[in-house]
PDB file of all heavy atoms in Angstrom:
ATOM      1  N   ILE A 610     -27.451  19.857 -68.792  1.00 78.00           N
ATOM      2  CA  ILE A 610     -28.144  18.564 -68.523  1.00 78.00           C
ATOM      3  C   ILE A 610     -27.065  17.490 -68.432  1.00 78.00           C
ATOM      4  O   ILE A 610     -26.270  17.371 -69.423  1.00 78.00           O
ATOM      5  CB  ILE A 610     -29.171  18.237 -69.620  1.00 78.00           C
ATOM      6  CG1 ILE A 610     -30.172  19.353 -69.768  1.00 78.00           C
ATOM      7  CG2 ILE A 610     -29.851  16.896 -69.307  1.00 78.00           C
ATOM      8  CD1 ILE A 610     -31.135  19.462 -68.661  1.00 78.00           C
ATOM      9  N   THR A 611     -26.982  16.767 -67.394  1.00 76.00           N
ATOM     10  CA  THR A 611     -25.970  15.652 -67.269  1.00 76.00           C
ATOM     11  C   THR A 611     -26.463  14.440 -67.976  1.00 76.00           C
ATOM     12  O   THR A 611     -27.611  14.365 -68.429  1.00 76.00           O
ATOM     13  CB  THR A 611     -25.663  15.363 -65.786  1.00 76.00           C
ATOM     14  OG1 THR A 611     -26.907  14.761 -65.263  1.00 76.00           O
ATOM     15  CG2 THR A 611     -25.283  16.578 -65.042  1.00 76.00           C
ATOM     16  N   LYS A 612     -25.612  13.440 -68.079  1.00 83.00           N
ATOM     17  CA  LYS A 612     -25.985  12.219 -68.756  1.00 83.00           C
ATOM     18  C   LYS A 612     -26.994  11.426 -67.929  1.00 83.00           C
ATOM     19  O   LYS A 612     -27.637  10.542 -68.417  1.00 83.00           O
ATOM     20  CB  LYS A 612     -24.748  11.345 -69.054  1.00 83.00           C
ATOM     21  CG  LYS A 612     -24.060  10.783 -67.892  1.00 83.00           C
ATOM     22  CD  LYS A 612     -22.886   9.918 -68.330  1.00 83.00           C
ATOM     23  CE  LYS A 612     -22.135   9.268 -67.204  1.00 83.00           C
ATOM     24  NZ  LYS A 612     -21.084   8.421 -67.654  1.00 83.00           N
ATOM     25  N   TYR A 613     -27.192  11.817 -66.652  1.00 85.00           N
ATOM     26  CA  TYR A 613     -28.210  11.171 -65.817  1.00 85.00           C
ATOM     27  C   TYR A 613     -29.455  12.013 -65.747  1.00 85.00           C
ATOM     28  O   TYR A 613     -30.291  11.806 -64.867  1.00 85.00           O
ATOM     29  CB  TYR A 613     -27.626  10.968 -64.401  1.00 85.00           C
ATOM     30  CG  TYR A 613     -26.347  10.149 -64.397  1.00 85.00           C
ATOM     31  CD1 TYR A 613     -25.127  10.756 -64.138  1.00 85.00           C
ATOM     32  CD2 TYR A 613     -26.412   8.803 -64.680  1.00 85.00           C
ATOM     33  CE1 TYR A 613     -23.951   9.985 -64.207  1.00 85.00           C
ATOM     34  CE2 TYR A 613     -25.285   8.023 -64.700  1.00 85.00           C
ATOM     35  CZ  TYR A 613     -24.068   8.600 -64.433  1.00 85.00           C
ATOM     36  OH  TYR A 613     -22.904   7.856 -64.419  1.00 85.00           O
ATOM     37  N   ASN A 614     -29.658  12.929 -66.669  1.00 83.00           N
ATOM     38  CA  ASN A 614     -30.821  13.822 -66.779  1.00 83.00           C
ATOM     39  C   ASN A 614     -31.009  14.707 -65.573  1.00 83.00           C
ATOM     40  O   ASN A 614     -32.148  14.989 -65.154  1.00 83.00           O
ATOM     41  CB  ASN A 614     -32.091  13.002 -67.026  1.00 83.00           C
ATOM     42  CG  ASN A 614     -32.169  12.590 -68.467  1.00 83.00           C
ATOM     43  OD1 ASN A 614     -31.591  13.297 -69.330  1.00 83.00           O
ATOM     44  ND2 ASN A 614     -32.866  11.548 -68.762  1.00 83.00           N
ATOM     45  N   PHE A 615     -29.964  15.185 -64.928  1.00 83.00           N
ATOM     46  CA  PHE A 615     -30.006  16.135 -63.880  1.00 83.00           C
ATOM     47  C   PHE A 615     -29.791  17.522 -64.506  1.00 83.00           C
ATOM     48  O   PHE A 615     -28.933  17.681 -65.321  1.00 83.00           O
ATOM     49  CB  PHE A 615     -28.990  15.928 -62.794  1.00 83.00           C
ATOM     50  CG  PHE A 615     -29.227  14.749 -61.907  1.00 83.00           C
ATOM     51  CD1 PHE A 615     -28.413  13.640 -61.951  1.00 83.00           C
ATOM     52  CD2 PHE A 615     -30.286  14.837 -61.002  1.00 83.00           C
ATOM     53  CE1 PHE A 615     -28.691  12.574 -61.133  1.00 83.00           C
ATOM     54  CE2 PHE A 615     -30.545  13.735 -60.179  1.00 83.00           C
ATOM     55  CZ  PHE A 615     -29.711  12.584 -60.248  1.00 83.00           C
ATOM     56  N   ASP A 616     -30.643  18.427 -64.135  1.00 84.00           N
ATOM     57  CA  ASP A 616     -30.540  19.773 -64.625  1.00 84.00           C
ATOM     58  C   ASP A 616     -29.692  20.654 -63.699  1.00 84.00           C
ATOM     59  O   ASP A 616     -30.101  20.763 -62.528  1.00 84.00           O
ATOM     60  CB  ASP A 616     -31.921  20.422 -64.808  1.00 84.00           C
ATOM     61  CG  ASP A 616     -31.924  21.783 -65.396  1.00 84.00           C
ATOM     62  OD1 ASP A 616     -30.961  22.079 -66.115  1.00 84.00           O
ATOM     63  OD2 ASP A 616     -32.856  22.565 -65.187  1.00 84.00           O
ATOM     64  N   ILE A 617     -28.563  21.161 -64.157  1.00 83.00           N
ATOM     65  CA  ILE A 617     -27.733  21.982 -63.317  1.00 83.00           C
ATOM     66  C   ILE A 617     -27.924  23.444 -63.729  1.00 83.00           C
ATOM     67  O   ILE A 617     -27.556  23.767 -64.873  1.00 83.00           O
ATOM     68  CB  ILE A 617     -26.257  21.554 -63.419  1.00 83.00           C
ATOM     69  CG1 ILE A 617     -26.115  20.138 -63.030  1.00 83.00           C
ATOM     70  CG2 ILE A 617     -25.383  22.497 -62.548  1.00 83.00           C
ATOM     71  CD1 ILE A 617     -24.734  19.593 -63.226  1.00 83.00           C
ATOM     72  N   PRO A 618     -28.439  24.312 -62.870  1.00 85.00           N
ATOM     73  CA  PRO A 618     -28.641  25.714 -63.342  1.00 85.00           C
ATOM     74  C   PRO A 618     -27.296  26.378 -63.579  1.00 85.00           C
ATOM     75  O   PRO A 618     -26.291  26.177 -62.862  1.00 85.00           O
ATOM     76  CB  PRO A 618     -29.331  26.314 -62.101  1.00 85.00           C
ATOM     77  CG  PRO A 618     -29.837  25.212 -61.297  1.00 85.00           C
ATOM     78  CD  PRO A 618     -28.986  24.039 -61.577  1.00 85.00           C
ATOM     79  N   ILE A 619     -27.286  27.221 -64.554  1.00 85.00           N
ATOM     80  CA  ILE A 619     -26.064  27.898 -64.998  1.00 85.00           C
ATOM     81  C   ILE A 619     -25.557  28.773 -63.914  1.00 85.00           C
ATOM     82  O   ILE A 619     -24.309  28.968 -63.753  1.00 85.00           O
ATOM     83  CB  ILE A 619     -26.282  28.635 -66.344  1.00 85.00           C
ATOM     84  CG1 ILE A 619     -25.014  28.775 -67.161  1.00 85.00           C
ATOM     85  CG2 ILE A 619     -26.837  29.996 -66.095  1.00 85.00           C
ATOM     86  CD1 ILE A 619     -24.427  27.494 -67.534  1.00 85.00           C
ATOM     87  N   GLU A 620     -26.414  29.366 -63.083  1.00 87.00           N
ATOM     88  CA  GLU A 620     -26.026  30.225 -62.045  1.00 87.00           C
ATOM     89  C   GLU A 620     -25.162  29.535 -60.999  1.00 87.00           C
ATOM     90  O   GLU A 620     -24.175  30.085 -60.504  1.00 87.00           O
ATOM     91  CB  GLU A 620     -27.230  30.905 -61.396  1.00 87.00           C
ATOM     92  CG  GLU A 620     -26.846  32.026 -60.478  1.00 87.00           C
ATOM     93  CD  GLU A 620     -26.112  33.163 -61.174  1.00 87.00           C
ATOM     94  OE1 GLU A 620     -26.417  33.444 -62.331  1.00 87.00           O
ATOM     95  OE2 GLU A 620     -25.259  33.730 -60.523  1.00 87.00           O
ATOM     96  N   SER A 621     -25.469  28.280 -60.697  1.00 87.00           N
ATOM     97  CA  SER A 621     -24.669  27.545 -59.727  1.00 87.00           C
ATOM     98  C   SER A 621     -23.286  27.227 -60.246  1.00 87.00           C
ATOM     99  O   SER A 621     -22.289  27.155 -59.505  1.00 87.00           O
ATOM    100  CB  SER A 621     -25.399  26.238 -59.280  1.00 87.00           C
ATOM    101  OG  SER A 621     -25.533  25.350 -60.401  1.00 87.00           O
ATOM    102  N   ILE A 622     -23.211  26.993 -61.558  1.00 86.00           N
ATOM    103  CA  ILE A 622     -21.858  26.746 -62.165  1.00 86.00           C
ATOM    104  C   ILE A 622     -21.063  28.042 -62.107  1.00 86.00           C
ATOM    105  O   ILE A 622     -19.825  27.965 -61.769  1.00 86.00           O
ATOM    106  CB  ILE A 622     -22.037  26.269 -63.670  1.00 86.00           C
ATOM    107  CG1 ILE A 622     -22.731  24.941 -63.654  1.00 86.00           C
ATOM    108  CG2 ILE A 622     -20.666  26.192 -64.337  1.00 86.00           C
ATOM    109  CD1 ILE A 622     -23.114  24.453 -65.046  1.00 86.00           C
ATOM    110  N   LYS A 623     -21.656  29.162 -62.396  1.00 90.00           N
ATOM    111  CA  LYS A 623     -20.922  30.440 -62.298  1.00 90.00           C
ATOM    112  C   LYS A 623     -20.451  30.726 -60.881  1.00 90.00           C
ATOM    113  O   LYS A 623     -19.316  31.150 -60.693  1.00 90.00           O
ATOM    114  CB  LYS A 623     -21.828  31.553 -62.788  1.00 90.00           C
ATOM    115  CG  LYS A 623     -22.066  31.563 -64.264  1.00 90.00           C
ATOM    116  CD  LYS A 623     -22.950  32.795 -64.652  1.00 90.00           C
ATOM    117  CE  LYS A 623     -23.338  32.730 -66.070  1.00 90.00           C
ATOM    118  NZ  LYS A 623     -24.252  33.883 -66.420  1.00 90.00           N
ATOM    119  N   VAL A 624     -21.277  30.459 -59.894  1.00 93.00           N
ATOM    120  CA  VAL A 624     -20.929  30.725 -58.522  1.00 93.00           C
ATOM    121  C   VAL A 624     -19.771  29.855 -58.110  1.00 93.00           C
ATOM    122  O   VAL A 624     -18.870  30.304 -57.432  1.00 93.00           O
ATOM    123  CB  VAL A 624     -22.212  30.542 -57.609  1.00 93.00           C
ATOM    124  CG1 VAL A 624     -21.819  30.507 -56.143  1.00 93.00           C
ATOM    125  CG2 VAL A 624     -23.179  31.602 -57.879  1.00 93.00           C
ATOM    126  N   ASN A 625     -19.814  28.564 -58.477  1.00 92.00           N
ATOM    127  CA  ASN A 625     -18.722  27.630 -58.146  1.00 92.00           C
ATOM    128  C   ASN A 625     -17.417  28.024 -58.829  1.00 92.00           C
ATOM    129  O   ASN A 625     -16.347  27.920 -58.233  1.00 92.00           O
ATOM    130  CB  ASN A 625     -19.087  26.184 -58.489  1.00 92.00           C
ATOM    131  CG  ASN A 625     -19.832  25.531 -57.344  1.00 92.00           C
ATOM    132  OD1 ASN A 625     -19.581  25.824 -56.171  1.00 92.00           O
ATOM    133  ND2 ASN A 625     -20.740  24.652 -57.670  1.00 92.00           N
ATOM    134  N   CYS A 626     -17.471  28.459 -60.054  1.00 93.00           N
ATOM    135  CA  CYS A 626     -16.266  28.895 -60.717  1.00 93.00           C
ATOM    136  C   CYS A 626     -15.663  30.140 -60.040  1.00 93.00           C
ATOM    137  O   CYS A 626     -14.459  30.195 -59.897  1.00 93.00           O
ATOM    138  CB  CYS A 626     -16.526  29.168 -62.205  1.00 93.00           C
ATOM    139  SG  CYS A 626     -16.773  27.737 -63.189  1.00 93.00           S
ATOM    140  N   LEU A 627     -16.488  31.102 -59.697  1.00 94.00           N
ATOM    141  CA  LEU A 627     -16.062  32.255 -59.032  1.00 94.00           C
ATOM    142  C   LEU A 627     -15.424  31.901 -57.675  1.00 94.00           C
ATOM    143  O   LEU A 627     -14.396  32.433 -57.255  1.00 94.00           O
ATOM    144  CB  LEU A 627     -17.151  33.233 -58.848  1.00 94.00           C
ATOM    145  CG  LEU A 627     -16.833  34.539 -58.178  1.00 94.00           C
ATOM    146  CD1 LEU A 627     -15.829  35.319 -59.026  1.00 94.00           C
ATOM    147  CD2 LEU A 627     -18.070  35.357 -58.038  1.00 94.00           C
ATOM    148  N   ARG A 628     -16.082  30.951 -56.944  1.00 95.00           N
ATOM    149  CA  ARG A 628     -15.573  30.616 -55.581  1.00 95.00           C
ATOM    150  C   ARG A 628     -14.207  29.917 -55.723  1.00 95.00           C
ATOM    151  O   ARG A 628     -13.279  30.193 -54.970  1.00 95.00           O
ATOM    152  CB  ARG A 628     -16.568  29.592 -54.995  1.00 95.00           C
ATOM    153  CG  ARG A 628     -16.162  29.093 -53.581  1.00 95.00           C
ATOM    154  CD  ARG A 628     -17.164  28.090 -53.084  1.00 95.00           C
ATOM    155  NE  ARG A 628     -17.330  26.934 -53.976  1.00 95.00           N
ATOM    156  CZ  ARG A 628     -16.485  25.873 -53.944  1.00 95.00           C
ATOM    157  NH1 ARG A 628     -15.488  25.808 -53.151  1.00 95.00           N
ATOM    158  NH2 ARG A 628     -16.684  24.859 -54.770  1.00 95.00           N
ATOM    159  N   LEU A 629     -14.068  29.029 -56.714  1.00 94.00           N
ATOM    160  CA  LEU A 629     -12.766  28.328 -56.906  1.00 94.00           C
ATOM    161  C   LEU A 629     -11.671  29.296 -57.311  1.00 94.00           C
ATOM    162  O   LEU A 629     -10.520  29.224 -56.898  1.00 94.00           O
ATOM    163  CB  LEU A 629     -12.924  27.177 -57.878  1.00 94.00           C
ATOM    164  CG  LEU A 629     -13.749  26.036 -57.394  1.00 94.00           C
ATOM    165  CD1 LEU A 629     -13.992  25.046 -58.542  1.00 94.00           C
ATOM    166  CD2 LEU A 629     -13.108  25.311 -56.235  1.00 94.00           C
TER     167      LEU A 629
END
Side-chain angles (χ1 to χ4, degrees):
I610 304 288
T611 66
K612 69 179 182 178
Y613 302 108
N614 282 334
F615 288 111
D616 183 26
I617 301 173
I619 207 61
E620 191 60 35
S621 65
I622 296 172
K623 288 180 184 179
V624 168
N625 272 328
C626 286
L627 183 63
R628 180 184 59 83
L629 291 172

